[in-house]
Amino acid sequence: MARGCEHPAGCHTGEVPTLASATVGARLWLLIEYTGAWPSRLETLELPGKISELVRRALERGIRPQLIRRPGRRTRPQEQGIRVLVGYAAGPNPWLASGVVAGPDDLDLDALVAGVVPESCILEDEPVFLVCTHAKRNVCCARIGLPLARSLAENLPDRVWETSHVGGDRYAANLVCLPHGIFYGSMSQAAALAAANAYRSGEVILDRYRGRAGIPEPLQAVEHFARAHTGECSVGAVAVESSRTDGDVTEAIVRIGDVRLQVVVEPSAFTAPCGTASACAETITTYRLVSLDRLTPVRYATPALA
């Protein structure tokens, strides 16, 4: 049974902070086109045999499975096989590849784990955008996500997919940009198009930016505050050189070009009003900046001439 929209109204308008909320366990992706009914949870394997087996094999290997379908289409001509996309979102050189396979045995998921394109797939040269529309998981994802997906697809034909749950129902509508695994939340149609166009240009927009998937939440927060301080928007320009955690406090050294920053963050509670006359409210864990300092570059003395 689909869950109602139990989160405060402000969660879907950008009033609730979205930073450092991208799904941590999503460095490897398997997208499976399936236009049939989506179960509320993929791990229950309540899907046709071949689809269920693909999901099972992905879960066994730490790969995040997602069901996908084209916006506005619930049925389409049956292909001779299953359309899949595989994504390697780890590190500085992520990639995305696609193919049509007859069944699970024709897709080498161990290659994906090793960072290699499976033989049955070919590399994609354009990014792909996922919009969560998983009504059986949360009705808000469908109510807000469906029109957004259709609108975005009109501007970016063949690059947009509806998808099953990506994590973070309170941030519906959710947008994921692959191959990097960039997450945005609480998106309007205009905000989604701006974020997608920025990503196609190799940039991120900090407004409603949830972070990059596969990275611990404190380091997502570190990246966010480093970008906000420097104005750096290039997708791959921020690198965490080192980090350490002491209790709830995380300290990291971040490099942005020739600049090195010491960034310290800690969890912070945000209480969102429910938007009604009742006393209900939801407390959301986010992050606050404790300190940010620019480090002096190390300078080496020039040896004296003999």
Side-chain angles (χ1 to χ4, degrees):
M1 180 179 295
R3 277 186 1 200
C5 192
E6 60 194 38
H7 301 298
C11 287
H12 306 304
T13 63
E15 297 172 41
V16 171
T18 59
L19 69 94
S21 63
T23 302
V24 174
R27 295 165 63 86
L28 308 172
W29 297 73
L30 170 61
L31 315 181
I32 308 165
E33 184 177 16
Y34 179 60
T35 58
W38 295 350
S40 60
R41 296 180 181 274
L42 269 61
E43 57 268 27
T44 63
L45 303 179
E46 298 172 1
L47 291 159
K50 291 181 180 180
I51 304 295
S52 179
E53 180 62 14
L54 278 170
V55 170
R56 186 190 68 79
R57 293 185 184 189
L59 291 171
E60 281 184 346
R61 291 163 173 78
I63 299 169
R64 181 166 183 104
Q66 297 284 145
L67 300 179
I68 58 173
R69 60 192 172 209
R70 289 298 187 190
R73 301 182 199 170
R74 292 297 176 267
T75 60
R76 66 190 300 271
Q78 184 63 42
E79 289 186 293
Q80 296 300 312
I82 304 167
R83 179 171 296 277
V84 297
L85 290 95
V86 292
Y88 187 82
N93 298 303
W95 51 262
L96 190 69
S98 64
V100 177
V101 298
D105 291 339
D106 295 320
L107 181 61
D108 185 358
L109 292 178
D110 291 325
L112 172 60
V113 173
V116 178
V117 177
E119 289 186 359
S120 55
C121 298
I122 58 173
L123 282 172
E124 293 276 309
D125 57 7
E126 289 286 335
V128 160
F129 303 96
L130 308 179
V131 179
C132 181
T133 60
H134 200 166
K136 282 190 177 180
R137 192 61 179 262
N138 189 287
V139 295
C140 284
C141 295
R143 178 176 61 83
I144 307 173
L146 282 169
L148 187 148
R150 292 168 183 163
S151 172
L152 193 59
E154 289 175 0
N155 289 276
L156 300 169
D158 299 324
R159 307 317 301 171
V160 180
W161 297 88
E162 294 180 22
T163 192
S164 53
H165 178 67
V166 296
D169 298 334
R170 65 167 57 93
Y171 304 113
N174 282 296
L175 173 70
V176 181
C177 309
L178 292 175
H180 282 84
I182 299 296
F183 273 55
Y184 288 92
S186 303
M187 299 300 275
S188 65
Q189 294 180 22
L193 181 58
N197 283 334
Y199 184 65
R200 295 176 73 207
S201 300
E203 298 182 343
V204 298
I205 295 174
L206 282 188
D207 182 37
R208 309 191 189 195
Y209 178 56
R210 291 183 58 190
R212 183 174 177 184
I215 297 173
E217 290 176 352
L219 298 187
Q220 294 181 36
V222 163
E223 178 206 343
H224 185 101
F225 291 121
R227 288 186 182 278
H229 177 77
T230 62
E232 180 58 65
C233 56
S234 296
V235 171
V238 179
V240 176
E241 293 186 337
S242 63
S243 65
R244 67 182 183 90
T245 299
D246 183 4
D248 287 338
V249 178
T250 297
E251 175 186 319
I253 304 300
V254 181
R255 180 181 293 277
I256 303 179
D258 295 331
V259 176
R260 294 172 74 242
L261 304 172
Q262 181 185 57
V263 185
V264 181
V265 300
E266 67 179 6
S268 175
F270 177 87
T271 301
C274 67
T276 70
S278 67
C280 67
E282 183 179 19
T283 299
I284 298 168
T285 298
T286 182
Y287 287 84
R288 63 177 290 268
L289 178 65
V290 176
S291 65
L292 188 152
D293 298 295
R294 185 173 296 224
L295 301 179
T296 304
V298 177
R299 299 185 182 277
Y300 297 94
T302 303
L305 297 175

